Amino acid sequence: MSQVWDDVDDYFTAHLAPDDDVLQAALRDSAAAELPQVNVTAPQGKLLHLLAGVQGARHILEIGTLGGYSTIWLGRALPADGRLVSLEYSAKHAEIATRNIARAGLDKLVEVRVGPALESLPKLADENPPPFDLVFIDADKANNAHYIEWALKLTRTGSLVVVDNVVRGGRVADAGSDAPDVRGTRAAIELIGSHPRLDGTAIQTVGSKGYDGFALARVL
Ligand code: SAH
Ligand code: DHB
Ligand code: MG
């Protein structure tokens, strides 16, 4: 993408979100295993970490683990008795993530569950877990609105829902798009905007992953 976006991300990363050995190893081993390199950037990971801290999050749900890079940023915000459940479709991704999470010393707090999230979520709900304080949605974008519906069932008043990749180079503004990811993300934005128990916004971002953005919604 734009060189200046890369340069600014590098500058912010160096001063505000330094990648330590554990985070770098997670990316290195993910790349070596040929996982897609679509993890959040370091400054974005730091944002997730800060949001979890502001929430005082003790219970975090992530949908879309990949190699566990965002999981580590989020998991590091948890207290010693906290818990993070991360849902991942691909057994291969989950295996790499599990190793990366263990190297980060987070294996006692983090559980990666393999399978399509729309199958894992009802099973999780059946366990009646304590409400999740933060939900990070970053999986198949076609199901984004469904994931928000599940997040509502699994959270409490005051919980925070964060959705990655809501801009995708501007494609979100294309009302006529047939692309399942665009349609799913538009459905998610419109659900946030219309649901009586959600109060949210969305922010456009640029950086080393290009032009994209996050939606954030507070559960009322
Ligand atoms: N949150 C990660 C990136 C996730 S990439 C990070 O920032 O580090 C999206 C992930 O969602 C991929 O690993 C993909 O396999 C997974 N995924 C795709 N469809 C899914 C589904 N239906 N259920 C659960 N995970 C899914
Ligand atoms: C892409 C980026 C993401 O953050 C993601 O979760 C999935 C795909 C991408 O750039 O293709
Ligand atoms: Mg993403």
Side-chain angles (χ1 to χ4, degrees), residues 77-100:
L78 286 171
D81 63 345
R83 181 179 185 228
L84 189 159
V85 178
S86 189
L87 309 179
E88 173 52 53
Y89 176 81
S90 156
K92 178 183 170 183
H93 295 187
E95 189 189 319
I96 303 292
T98 299
R99 282 208 289 272
N100 287 334

Side-chain angles (χ1 to χ4, degrees), residues 179-197:
D181 58 338
V182 174
R183 293 174 74 94
T185 295
R186 288 179 62 88
I189 295 290
E190 290 159 35
L191 182 62
I192 292 170
S194 61
H195 199 287
R197 288 192 57 225

Side-chain angles (χ1 to χ4, degrees), residues 38 138 141 164-165 168 209:
V38 297
D138 190 21
K141 317 308 173 192
D164 193 22
N165 309 114
R168 302 307 295 271
K209 286 181 74 181

Side-chain angles (χ1 to χ4, degrees), residues 24-174:
Q24 279 174 26
L27 292 183
R28 186 196 59 220
D29 287 6
S30 297
E34 296 180 332
L35 269 53
Q37 293 178 40
V38 297
N39 50 274
V40 295
T41 64
Q44 292 172 345
K46 183 70 181 284
L47 173 67
L48 295 172
H49 179 85
L50 290 171
L51 291 170
V54 167
Q55 277 300 94
R58 296 182 60 236
H59 301 101
I60 297 176
L61 174 63
E62 177 177 68
I63 307 178
T65 319
L66 191 62
Y69 183 79
S70 56
T71 319
I72 293 170
W73 279 108
L74 285 164
R76 283 178 169 177
L78 286 171
D81 63 345
R83 181 179 185 228
L84 189 159
V85 178
S86 189
L87 309 179
E88 173 52 53
Y89 176 81
S90 156
K92 178 183 170 183
H93 295 187
E95 189 189 319
I96 303 292
T98 299
R99 282 208 289 272
N100 287 334
I101 289 160
R103 181 167 41 210
L106 292 167
D107 42 325
K108 295 269 191 315
L109 305 185
V110 176
E111 186 191 343
V112 180
R113 296 193 179 188
V114 180
L118 287 179
E119 289 180 16
S120 302
L121 286 160
K123 288 182 201 154
L124 181 61
D126 281 346
E127 296 165 19
N128 274 317
F132 292 97
D133 309 298
L134 187 152
V135 180
F136 178 47
I137 299 174
D138 190 21
D140 50 328
K141 317 308 173 192
N143 282 316
N144 272 345
H146 299 298
Y147 295 147
I148 290 177
E149 298 275 16
W150 275 105
L152 279 166
K153 295 191 224 288
L154 292 164
T155 51
R156 57 168 171 86
T157 298
S159 294
L160 182 68
V161 181
V162 180
V163 188
D164 193 22
N165 309 114
V166 301
V167 175
R168 302 307 295 271
R171 292 193 296 131
V172 71
D174 181 0

